[in-house]
Amino acid sequence: MSQGNSILDNVQWDADSGTITFKDVRYMLIRPDTVVDFQKAVEAEVGPEKCAEMMMAGGYTGGSRSSKRYKEVFNYTDEEIVAFMCKMGGEIGWGKFNVIKLDVPGKEFVVEVENSAFAAAYGEADWGVCHMIRGVMAGMAVGIFGGDVVSSETSCRSKGDDRCRFEIKG
Ligand SMILES: [Zn+2]
């Protein structure tokens, strides 16, 4: 059974300008191994922890901007924007996102991701490698909780875990 993809079915492609947009936000398709090759090159230069911070920062900005933008476009509540962003994660091929816990007053958010594209491209590691997901989730959580958050990838497919798990606390 095929299922509609609310993102891909509504993407606008402009052949003249070579651009793809969703709700006026520009996107591009990129192979996960391209991102991961870059990640490994940066890790080799600055070490895995610093690289994680840098990739987190990129994801954070994207997550924060996207959640703000789509909250306005669709007039979503906090719960709805989390559900939308997690569904979108799957629709753009990052993996299958499952919201495990969302406690807005308690400022706690837990999401698990099956088949992370980042972990699949990376292969085995001694640490979590899905920093962009971690950052996107943190950026979204900041918009909802207000103030700073701590975002950790407590399980990762690359470490041999069944799935990746992200725990965000305000
Ligand atoms: Zn992971």
Side-chain angles (χ1 to χ4, degrees), residues 116 119 128-130 153 155-158 164-166:
S116 159
V129 300
C130 308
E153 185 176 16
S155 305
C156 183
R157 194 81 180 84
S158 282
C164 302
R165 181 180 171 98
F166 303 87

Side-chain angles (χ1 to χ4, degrees), residues 62-83:
S64 161
R65 281 191 193 140
S66 290
S67 55
K68 193 160 178 277
R69 169 82 184 134
Y70 300 129
K71 216 177 157 178
E72 285 165 5
V73 169
F74 298 110
N75 201 23
Y76 280 157
T77 63
D78 291 339
E79 285 76 11
E80 285 169 339
I81 195 66
V82 168

